[in-house]
Amino acid sequence: MDQHFLVIDIGNTNQKIAIYNDAEQLLSLQQVPILTQDLLSEALTNFSIKAGIVSSVGRDNASLFDWLKTQIRLFTCCPELELPIDLCYHTPNTLGPDRIANAVGANTLFPNQNVLSIQTGSCLVTDFVNAQNQYLGGTIAPGLRMRFQSLPLLTAKLPLIEPHPIDFLIGKTTEESILSGVINGYACEIDMLIQRYAEQYSPLKVVMTGGDTPVLEGKLKNSIFAAPNLVLFGLYKILRLNATEI
């Protein structure tokens, strides 16, 4: 009978629950505003789960995870777990678990290679692992929606615009000008980061994940590998490395 593994990612905006099997196949994925005991109970009923892992950078429910620990062996993603990469970050205790998982996922896809992983979520986050499988760090900047939200918040008359893909440079209305400025500027920032990394670490693989990736389609000059569930996959690999007896 296949073993199944529970992966939970608590982000700033959404919360995800995924089920993998021992062949690295993603069997189930749900994205919800708030994770509940009913949702977890359903997963435990439907799948043969013996172990799980949690990454949390947002609001979570400690009592929910206390209950889950009575049902399965539950790991919390942190620098103290065994990892397939060496963390060379100067302050590992401040390193977000999603960034650890993101780096592990990218390194698993491209082992022994320079790989830059880019998360386009609440924040724009880059994480870099070199060809010696060493995690060196990266960058954190405001995400796409955070940039749109800052304009009406910090000015008197600019409106809040919902981001969506565009195909123009020159904005001919205030709404178009905001869309062009934020989205094209965001894409240029990512391209420049990739260029700077490639100048120092060549050849370079680039992996992109996150909810705002579709908005950037056709905007980036650099070649990237899209990996929509990179953080979840990285968490799964960390779990398998630490739950070796299961």
Side-chain angles (χ1 to χ4, degrees):
M1 184 176 180
D2 284 348
Q3 294 290 338
H4 298 143
F5 300 87
L6 176 67
V7 175
I8 299 172
D9 177 23
I10 307 294
N12 289 303
T13 305
N14 295 301
Q15 303 187 358
K16 298 178 182 178
I17 174 173
I19 308 294
Y20 284 85
N21 65 11
D22 47 15
E24 299 187 356
Q25 294 174 311
L26 178 60
L27 303 180
S28 174
L29 172 61
Q30 292 177 274
Q31 181 172 292
V32 295
I34 298 293
L35 194 62
T36 65
Q37 184 170 326
D38 286 344
L39 188 61
L40 290 172
S41 295
E42 183 181 354
L44 295 178
T45 300
N46 294 336
F47 298 94
S48 175
I49 299 171
K50 297 293 181 63
I53 189 169
V54 174
S55 164
S56 178
V57 297
R59 298 177 182 176
D60 58 34
N61 186 335
S63 62
L64 181 63
F65 295 133
D66 287 340
W67 167 81
L68 187 56
K69 289 176 183 177
T70 68
Q71 308 299 308
I72 63 172
R73 187 176 182 194
L74 187 66
F75 295 84
T76 299
C77 184
C78 64
E80 287 71 36
L81 291 181
E82 186 175 353
L83 302 172
I85 57 176
D86 295 325
L87 295 184
C88 298
Y89 206 62
H90 289 175
T91 56
N93 290 333
T94 69
L95 184 60
D98 60 326
R99 296 185 67 189
I100 297 173
N102 195 48
V104 168
N107 176 256
T108 301
L109 293 174
F110 300 105
N112 306 308
Q113 299 181 66
N114 297 315
V115 56
L116 176 68
S117 53
I118 302 172
Q119 292 187 70
T120 60
S122 298
C123 292
L124 172 62
V125 180
T126 66
D127 293 291
F128 177 72
V129 181
N130 66 16
Q132 289 73 47
N133 303 314
Q134 297 172 316
Y135 174 80
L136 301 187
T139 63
I140 303 174
L144 197 61
R145 280 166 176 76
M146 199 178 296
R147 299 177 194 218
F148 278 104
Q149 291 166 355
S150 69
L151 293 174
L153 181 64
L154 300 175
T155 67
K157 296 184 178 181
L158 290 178
L160 176 62
I161 304 299
E162 182 66 22
H164 58 80
I166 60 172
D167 60 359
F168 55 85
L169 174 62
I170 299 175
K172 297 182 179 179
T173 66
T174 298
E175 179 176 338
E176 287 184 354
S177 296
I178 292 173
L179 284 166
S180 178
V182 175
I183 293 176
N184 288 317
Y186 193 68
C188 288
E189 180 178 337
I190 293 172
D191 268 328
M192 181 56 68
L193 283 169
I194 295 172
Q195 180 181 325
R196 293 287 300 276
Y197 275 99
E199 288 171 355
Q200 295 189 48
Y201 301 94
S202 182
L204 178 71
K205 296 290 186 180
V206 182
V207 182
M208 182 172 287
T209 190
D212 289 327
T213 301
V215 179
L216 296 168
E217 188 174 353
K219 292 282 181 293
L220 299 176
K221 295 184 295 184
N222 292 278
S223 175
I224 62 170
F225 178 84
N229 300 309
L230 187 64
V231 172
L232 294 173
F233 179 63
L235 287 170
Y236 165 77
K237 296 300 290 186
I238 295 170
L239 175 59
R240 294 300 306 272
L241 193 59
N242 287 270
T244 53
E245 72 283 3
I246 295 175

